[in-house]
Amino acid sequence: LALSNSTALNLLLSKLLQHYMEKTNSSAPSQASRASSSSLEIIYVLLVVGLFGFFTVAVMVTNVVARGAPGSPDPYHTYIATDLWHRKDREYLQAKVLESYRLCCVLENQLAVEQPAAHIPEEKAS
């Protein structure tokens, strides 16, 4: 007669529960409480170390993903690496300089122009 998995599991759990209840009802409760508190301490330490490890790994993975692969086709780096944009910028600058040169005009102040024939009076030092 073969027992099903659920029946075997129920028997195992009930035996564990009976064993635990016998230990707690025994005449030496101090040893049982000491054993359960030490197991709880171990579980607490493992939980703290596990959470620290989880957050450490998460930060490392986030950092690696943010940096990306060294040869990835990132549009920003592609923009910087190509000379096409620099050439277009240079052409645009040259067009702007030519346009400003065409709009430029020189106005001459006739009164400020040097006149070598005119005599500028000098003040005599006394």
Side-chain angles (χ1 to χ4, degrees):
L1 180 66
L3 297 173
S4 68
N5 284 341
S6 63
T7 307
L9 183 62
N10 285 340
L11 286 173
L12 178 66
L13 290 175
S14 65
K15 283 185 180 182
L16 286 173
L17 181 63
Q18 286 175 358
H19 181 67
Y20 177 73
M21 293 302 285
E22 286 173 3
K23 276 190 170 182
T24 51
N25 292 336
S26 69
S27 61
S30 62
Q31 289 179 355
S33 65
R34 224 180 285 149
S36 66
S37 69
S38 68
S39 66
L40 288 177
E41 290 170 359
I42 292 171
I43 290 174
Y44 177 74
V45 168
L46 289 176
L47 181 68
V48 169
V49 168
L51 285 174
F52 176 74
F54 173 75
F55 285 118
T56 304
V57 168
V59 167
M60 287 177 13
V61 167
T62 304
N63 193 12
V64 167
V65 168
R67 286 188 182 184
S72 66
D74 186 15
Y76 178 73
H77 292 103
T78 305
Y79 166 78
I80 300 263
T82 60
D83 192 39
L84 176 68
W85 296 102
H86 298 294
R87 197 172 329 127
K88 284 185 179 181
D89 288 341
R90 198 174 319 120
E91 290 170 0
Y92 178 72
L93 178 65
Q94 287 173 353
K96 281 295 204 185
V97 167
L98 285 175
E99 181 183 340
S100 65
Y101 179 72
R102 288 184 191 131
L103 295 175
C104 181
C105 64
V106 177
L107 300 175
E108 184 179 39
N109 185 354
Q110 294 295 329
L111 298 176
V113 173
E114 245 183 81
Q115 300 171 358
H119 177 67
I120 301 175
E122 292 184 13
E123 190 176 317
K124 293 182 181 180
S126 49

